[in-house]
Amino acid sequence: DAGITQSPRYKITETGRQVTLMCHQTWSHSYMFWYRQDLGHGLRLIYYSAAADITDKGEVPDGYVVSRSKTENFPLTLESATRSQTSVYFCASSRPGQGQNEKLFFGSGTQLSVL
Amino acid sequence: GQQLNQSPQSMFIQEGEDVSMNCTSSSIFNTWLWYKQDPGEGPVLLIALYKAGELTSNGRLTAQFGTTRKDSFLNISASIPSDVGIYFCAGPIYNQGGKLIFGQGTELSVKP
């Protein structure tokens, strides 16, 4: 039972470079999410997806792009990384249904440093 | 927009002590959730609350859904070193199925 996996675990990049963070889940959950975690801000939603080919912005979407061509994958791309995007990024998934869609399952996170 | 405020932001306690933390909002929530994040890992759901006034336990953890529906509380009894981590409250964003808003977290340190 692999669950939800993120890669890479750690990434260092330079300002202006494009970076893609990967997220893969084996449960066939409909919903997938990207959150970023910063000190003092908790977890903030970047983008989410209700199903393949359906994505929507969250609270802090600027500078990020997502796609979801397959149910199991939900990559997050920083088109031109900035220092303010240094953060820990978490992917999560859930399945629809009363009492279920709010139970998120998180990956272990990607720690991204933009120099 | 909806916001969740957690307090305290951090706690340093001795092993064996009881812990209380809370989460408040200016908006009503129909569901309250408590997650725990171990160091270096993603958050894991501890307790889900669905009804105002509801009290639910999970081992040494007890959470309550406030009667005003604008707050929730988490208590940990007889803390142990593995309770260390960040505790987040969360609630569903109104009318946007599946999306959660999280509080800023309460960081718990337990001294053996």
Side-chain angles (χ1 to χ4, degrees):
Chain A
D1 187 350
I4 183 163
T5 53
Q6 292 184 237
S7 61
R9 194 80 158 95
Y10 303 94
K11 176 74 177 177
I12 299 173
T13 191
E14 294 177 337
T15 302
R17 291 198 182 253
Q18 184 179 82
V19 176
T20 296
L21 309 184
M22 305 302 291
C23 179
H24 175 78
Q25 52 108 351
T26 59
W27 294 307
S28 299
H29 284 171
S30 296
Y31 292 119
M32 294 190 76
F33 309 85
W34 276 105
Y35 284 87
R36 61 178 287 175
Q37 183 177 20
D38 304 288
L39 224 71
H41 291 282
L43 293 158
R44 291 181 292 174
L45 183 64
I46 305 170
Y47 267 96
Y48 92 116
S49 169
D53 296 322
I54 300 174
T55 61
D56 200 3
K57 295 177 181 178
E59 183 185 357
V60 288
D62 293 343
Y64 303 96
V65 173
V66 293
S67 62
R68 192 151 175 223
S69 56
K70 290 184 179 180
T71 300
E72 60 266 29
N73 296 323
F74 191 38
L76 176 75
T77 298
L78 288 66
E79 293 189 298
S80 178
T82 64
R83 289 204 179 98
S84 65
Q85 292 176 309
T86 292
S87 186
V88 181
Y89 291 85
F90 287 99
C91 180
S93 71
S94 68
R95 55 188 177 99
Q98 192 170 358
Q100 296 302 321
N101 61 5
E102 67 270 8
K103 294 178 181 173
L104 267 56
F105 294 87
F106 284 85
S108 297
T110 294
Q111 190 167 317
L112 177 67
S113 297
V114 183
L115 305 179
Chain B
Q2 292 173 296
Q3 270 192 319
L4 294 178
N5 297 305
Q6 283 188 250
S7 66
Q9 287 192 352
S10 60
M11 304 180 76
F12 297 86
I13 61 167
Q14 198 78 30
E15 183 176 359
E17 287 183 5
D18 296 342
V19 172
S20 289
M21 59 189 79
N22 68 72
C23 188
T24 60
S25 173
S26 56
S27 311
I28 286 174
F29 281 84
N30 293 319
T31 300
W32 284 94
L33 305 152
W34 285 93
Y35 282 81
K36 184 198 175 194
Q37 182 181 26
D38 287 329
E41 296 297 326
V44 173
L45 180 66
L46 295 173
I47 293 177
L49 302 158
Y50 298 103
K51 209 160 76 170
E54 179 182 352
L55 194 71
T56 296
S57 293
N58 179 3
R60 294 177 296 104
L61 277 63
T62 301
Q64 183 163 23
F65 192 140
T67 52
T68 65
R69 293 160 67 192
K70 291 183 178 181
D71 54 12
S72 180
F73 309 90
L74 178 69
N75 296 313
I76 305 172
S77 62
S79 59
I80 58 178
S82 62
D83 290 334
V84 162
I86 303 176
Y87 292 79
F88 292 101
C89 62
I93 298 173
Y94 177 72
N95 227 19
Q96 297 188 41
K99 288 161 71 171
L100 296 185
I101 183 170
F102 284 81
Q104 311 96 315
T106 293
E107 185 166 10
L108 179 65
S109 301
V110 179
K111 190 175 174 184

